[in-house]
Amino acid sequence: VTITPTNTVTVTPTNTVTVTTNAPTAPMFGTIDSTKGTYTNRFSVPTILNGLTYAPEDHGEPPGQATEFYSIRKDTSTGTSWFEAIIASTANVTDRFGATSGNFDALTYAADNVGYGPLLFYYLSHDLAGVSTFGTITPGAPGVGVTAPLFVVGTNFDALTYTATDVGYGANMFYYVRHDA
C-alpha cells in the first residue's frame, strides 16, 4: 500500500507578538516603603553600583551636603573602581576618587572607631578566585581618598553592614551575607 498526499497546506503566520516591559533601562536609585511593601524608582545612576551605604556626616564633595549615600562603581572600560557620592535631594551622582582596580561587592559606614579610626567606610572586595578582602575607605580632600585592604575574610561575600548596637552578637559588629561557591 502506498499513501500519497494529494493536498499541500502552507501555513503563514499573520500575528506578531510585541512585549513591552515597564522595567527601567538604566540602574536606578530608589526607595522602599516598608509599611506598604512598595518600591519607587527615584532617578537613574551611572552603570551598576556595588554596595550602598548612608553617612549622616559630610564627607567632602560638595561641601555642606550632610545627607549623602555612597557606593562604588567599576568602570568596565578602564578597570578603575570609583568611590561615588549620591545626593538624593538633587539626584546628583559624583565620582569622588579612584578607589583601586578591585572588584567591590559591599560597602558600609561606621561612625564609631572600631580599631581603624572614626567615620570610616568599610568594604568587601573579591579577586578572580572569589577570595574576599575586608578593608577601609577614607575619603579625603576633593578627588582624594585612600583604600586600604585590611585582611582576607573568606570567599563569596555579597553584603556588609555595621551596627554599634548589640543585636545579639555583641556591640560594634559588622554583619555580612555570603553564598557558597
Side-chain angles (χ1 to χ4, degrees):
V1 174
T2 302
I3 300 174
T4 306
T6 58
N7 296 330
T8 303
V9 177
T10 303
V11 177
T12 305
T14 59
N15 297 336
T16 58
V17 176
T18 303
V19 177
T20 304
T21 65
N22 293 328
T25 58
M28 299 296 290
F29 178 91
T31 57
I32 297 174
D33 184 329
S34 61
T35 61
K36 297 177 183 174
T38 59
Y39 71 92
T40 304
N41 292 326
R42 299 296 179 179
F43 54 88
S44 62
V45 293
T47 190
I48 300 212
L49 302 177
N50 297 96
L52 178 67
T53 193
Y54 168 79
E57 293 85 17
D58 183 357
H59 285 276
E61 302 173 55
Q65 295 290 332
T67 304
E68 292 183 348
F69 293 88
Y70 296 88
S71 189
I72 297 177
R73 85 172 165 86
K74 185 160 189 167
D75 185 332
T76 55
S77 63
T78 65
T80 300
S81 291
W82 292 90
F83 185 71
E84 305 271 342
I86 303 170
I87 302 169
S89 62
T90 62
N92 186 20
V93 181
T94 306
D95 289 342
R96 290 287 307 279
F97 59 88
T100 64
S101 60
N103 296 305
F104 289 88
D105 300 306
L107 181 69
T108 195
Y109 177 75
D112 305 306
N113 184 347
V114 296
Y116 303 99
L119 309 177
L120 289 180
F121 294 89
Y122 293 84
Y123 69 85
L124 288 169
S125 66
H126 70 275
D127 63 15
L128 294 178
V131 175
S132 298
T133 299
F134 177 81
T136 62
I137 296 176
T138 308
V144 177
V146 178
T147 305
L150 297 176
F151 42 82
V152 171
V153 290
T155 59
N156 304 313
F157 284 80
D158 301 307
L160 178 70
T161 194
Y162 169 80
T163 180
T165 306
D166 182 350
V167 295
Y169 299 99
N172 298 323
M173 299 287 287
F174 290 88
Y175 294 85
Y176 65 83
V177 173
R178 64 175 291 274
H179 66 278
D180 287 333

